[in-house]
Amino acid sequence: MKIAVFAGDGIGPEVTAQAVRVLQALGLPGLELTEGDVGGAAYKKHGHPLPEATLEIARQSDAILFGAVGDFDCDHLERHLRPEQAILGLRKEMGFFANLRPARVFAGLEDASALRPEVASAIDLLIVRELNGDVYFGEKGIRTLPDGRRQGWDMMSYAEDEVRRIAHVGFKAAQGRRGKLCSVDKANVLETSQLWRDVVIEVSAEYPDVELSHMYVDNAAMQLVRNPGQFDTIVTGNLFGDILSDQASMCVGSIGLLASASLAEGTCGLYEPIHGSAPDIAGQDLANPMATVLSAAMLLRHSFGLEAQAARIEAAVGKALTDGIRGGDLGGSLGTRAIGDAILERL
Ligand code: IPM
Ligand code: MG
């Protein structure tokens, strides 16, 4: 079980440390952890946010546990040297195209949601976000027009095979859940979205047991707040998925609770909390490590097929929450390490 641990910037090292404690506590045979530098931390040490040595560790590993990247000190750098390039580069280089972001309300946390408890308690959805294409990876730049004005531009595109493979992930995920897939796009305005929709409809022929619907992204943002319980599985592109998953996290109560898996064609995957590096609270034992611990559970499930161990971690986190274990993000006062202790006790 070769697992790469890329802690990164800000609160990344603190939250990752707690997830590592949890993995070690399970006594998994053959567990081998290898640390690597990513993000601003890697830039400061090696002059690059994703050094070749880190990529090599990734290639040699069965799975990657990732903390967070992002550092204000690096905001002045050229884009290809910014911390975010570490995660974008890993997704692209390793072919992690399918991002699974589950969101559900833990029992006892209905009050933490930004929504009314009776609306929030119905949330149990999965966002399947495409990660290798869209406006994220298109040609981009800032150019000067003939009349002297500067113009920023980013090319949005999806090739049909890119849409097809994420659509399959979406349909299969829906089959394993409540059998409903909602494809989110902006087909009323964007040609990229029109192709997206056509291809998703084409793929749906192979999944007669899944009920497919389509929704424009602006409406989806509205519906997520109005009635999130209507969603089972959502499949969408890179940019819309980025935005909707942050929104879903606040519907759940805290961005400190949401885990994610980024999968390639094989079993190797990258697992990370959906939150960022939170430099304002870094190094103060204030961050909630639960999202990272839950990401470690997804790692065991998706890369190693260890469903029972994954469920054990999730149950320990769930129990901690019902027992009233709360960090600052949920109005409590427990620190990162104390939350880790509480999870380990229940494990
Ligand atoms: C995420 C993050 C990243 C993204 C950033 C850090 C590049 O917001 O994983 O959601 O935009 O994909
Ligand atoms: Mg994001």
Side-chain angles (χ1 to χ4, degrees):
M1 291 187 73
K2 288 194 178 159
I3 300 177
V5 180
F6 299 159
D9 304 321
I11 59 172
E14 298 162 74
V15 293
T16 310
Q18 300 312 314
V20 164
R21 285 175 78 201
V22 167
L23 283 175
Q24 284 171 334
L26 295 174
L28 304 162
L31 178 68
E32 217 180 278
L33 302 167
T34 310
E35 292 184 11
D37 296 318
V38 290
Y43 175 78
K44 286 170 188 164
K45 258 167 104 176
H46 314 281
H48 198 281
L50 182 58
E52 186 49 41
T54 300
L55 256 181
E56 198 43 41
I57 295 172
R59 292 192 191 103
Q60 302 294 324
S61 300
D62 302 312
I64 301 167
L65 182 67
F66 194 93
V69 289
D71 183 341
F72 294 139
D73 291 352
C74 297
D75 279 356
H76 65 284
L77 296 172
E78 281 175 64
R79 187 159 304 280
H80 75 281
L81 293 175
R82 294 211 196 147
E84 291 76 10
Q85 294 305 313
I87 185 65
L88 297 175
L90 277 168
R91 288 171 184 168
K92 197 72 176 178
E93 288 294 320
M94 300 291 295
F96 297 136
F97 72 94
N99 190 207
L100 310 184
R101 297 188 162 186
R104 71 183 168 89
V105 174
F106 285 91
L109 274 194
E110 295 81 359
D111 287 339
S113 169
L115 307 177
R116 285 196 310 279
E118 68 273 20
V119 178
S121 59
I123 302 177
D124 181 0
L125 59 88
L126 172 72
I127 297 181
V128 177
R129 168 188 174 197
E130 202 288 330
L131 277 186
N132 277 184
D134 204 348
V135 71
Y136 268 63
F137 291 98
E139 278 182 47
K140 57 185 72 210
I142 298 176
R143 61 191 166 201
T144 305
L145 298 172
D147 64 7
R149 284 178 304 146
R150 285 180 310 144
Q151 182 188 51
W153 58 286
D154 298 84
M155 159 94 161
M156 175 183 273
S157 72
Y158 264 120
E160 56 182 329
D161 55 308
E162 293 175 309
V163 181
R164 205 168 284 124
R165 67 178 182 172
I166 195 70
H168 280 291
V169 175
F171 281 106
K172 291 197 176 105
Q175 278 180 328
R177 294 175 49 92
R178 300 192 300 278
K180 280 171 57 181
L181 181 68
C182 179
S183 171
V184 171
D185 63 34
K186 188 71 186 173
N188 51 345
V189 178
L190 304 173
E191 289 300 315
T192 310
S193 283
Q194 187 57 57
L195 180 89
W196 174 283
R197 191 175 282 220
D198 294 347
V199 173
V200 170
I201 290 172
E202 205 182 287
V203 173
S204 71
E206 294 175 48
Y207 301 89
D209 51 333
V210 175
E211 182 195 318
L212 173 67
S213 62
H214 304 273
M215 201 179 273
Y216 298 138
V217 64
D218 49 347
N219 185 25
M222 192 260 280
Q223 297 295 339
L224 259 180
V225 173
R226 193 186 74 89
N227 175 20
Q230 73 187 282
F231 294 108
D232 172 17
T233 308
I234 291 174
V235 65
T236 190
N238 207 344
L239 182 63
F240 300 156
D242 178 45
I243 299 166
L244 292 180
S245 57
D246 265 33
Q247 191 185 340
S249 74
M250 271 330 278
C251 298
V252 164
S254 169
I255 197 162
L257 294 176
L258 292 214
S260 79
S262 301
L263 306 174
E265 302 281 4
T267 58
C268 186
L270 180 148
Y271 303 84
E272 57 171 332
I274 83 154
H275 62 67
S277 58
D280 52 325
I281 59 164
Q284 302 168 55
D285 196 42
L286 288 175
N288 183 351
M290 286 174 169
T292 316
V293 171
L294 292 168
S295 299
M298 291 188 88
L299 177 152
L300 296 179
R301 172 176 297 124
H302 293 283
S303 283
F304 299 100
L306 295 172
E307 175 56 39
Q309 299 285 23
R312 214 179 131 192
I313 295 176
E314 287 163 354
V317 172
K319 180 81 170 65
L321 286 168
T322 44
D323 289 347
I325 298 296
R326 300 275 188 281
D329 58 322
L330 292 168
S333 61
L334 287 175
T336 312
R337 187 155 179 109
I339 296 176
D341 290 343
I343 296 169
L344 280 171
E345 269 167 40
R346 285 155 182 88
L347 201 66

